[in-house]
Amino acid sequence: MADKTGIEWTDATWNPVTGCAKVSAGCKHCYAERNWPRMTKLVPAYAGRAFTNVATHADRLLQPLSWKRPRRIFVNSMSDLFHQDIHDDFIGMVFRTMARAPQHTFQVLTKRAERMQRLLTHPKMRGFVGDAPWPLPNVWIGVSVESRRVLTRIRSRITMRHGH
């Protein structure tokens, strides 16, 4: 969405998906939900939508390809890429874009580690990125964990090695 951001640990944000739903106590202080009222005034595509109305934005899929200077890009600062309302193929197209922009480092955070694991280990997902190495070396995936109680969210989730 923005090739600049005030988020200190990233250089830019890219929101091919917006909107989300709470899945755990860690969602209580959600950055995206907290900023949604302000964003609905700034971004026409958000106006009149509730934050819980998850929407994909196909018109934004290729946006990072126009950014030539390498940068760290936070994917979906206003959503969770692995939300259950996002079609598998759309997620595949997001990964296709990331594969086509190896100059950037993409940062993906999720609380939905089970769906992430299921999709990223499925052979169909590999097909979206063509000849690019899998897993994509320019994609950093993180699972947010808010307490020891939900630490199982990250245990034994993804076992992927380059070239497999």
Side-chain angles (χ1 to χ4, degrees):
M1 175 85 185
D3 65 355
K4 294 181 181 162
T5 181
I7 301 171
E8 64 189 31
W9 45 266
T10 195
D11 302 318
T13 59
W14 172 44
N15 288 290
V17 178
T18 55
C20 205
K22 295 181 185 310
V23 293
S24 74
C27 297
K28 183 177 181 179
H29 303 289
C30 176
Y31 164 89
E33 185 177 34
R34 185 176 65 245
N35 283 288
W36 189 254
R38 179 178 63 86
M39 297 302 290
T40 61
K41 293 177 179 88
L42 297 174
V43 182
Y46 302 174
R49 283 185 35 225
F51 179 68
T52 54
N53 179 359
V54 176
T56 57
H57 304 281
D59 59 314
R60 298 179 186 170
L61 277 172
L62 302 180
Q63 190 174 28
L65 301 180
S66 67
W67 300 337
K68 300 306 176 199
R69 182 180 52 80
R71 51 190 65 145
R72 289 174 314 221
I73 301 170
F74 180 18
V75 180
N76 284 348
S77 64
M78 299 303 292
S79 187
D80 185 323
L81 184 60
F82 297 98
H83 188 282
Q84 66 274 9
D85 290 348
I86 304 167
H87 194 278
D88 295 356
D89 287 352
F90 193 85
I91 295 170
M93 290 185 280
V94 169
F95 273 83
R96 176 181 295 145
T97 296
M98 294 187 291
R100 291 179 57 198
Q103 74 274 23
H104 301 311
T105 299
F106 293 91
Q107 301 162 306
V108 180
L109 291 174
T110 187
K111 282 188 175 58
R112 294 163 171 88
E114 291 171 1
R115 182 163 191 229
M116 176 190 65
Q117 178 187 22
R118 190 173 60 254
L119 287 177
L120 297 186
T121 58
H122 194 283
K124 182 179 180 182
M125 189 60 62
R126 176 72 179 89
F128 278 99
V129 301
D131 294 334
W134 189 256
L136 296 174
N138 64 325
V139 177
W140 297 352
I141 296 180
V143 176
S144 44
V145 176
E146 65 273 10
S147 69
R148 286 183 181 266
R149 190 176 57 76
V150 294
L151 193 58
T152 57
R153 207 180 274 158
I154 61 170
R155 289 196 181 126
S156 304
R157 287 293 173 223
I158 295 251
T159 305
M160 292 176 32
R161 291 179 177 79
H162 291 278
H164 296 286

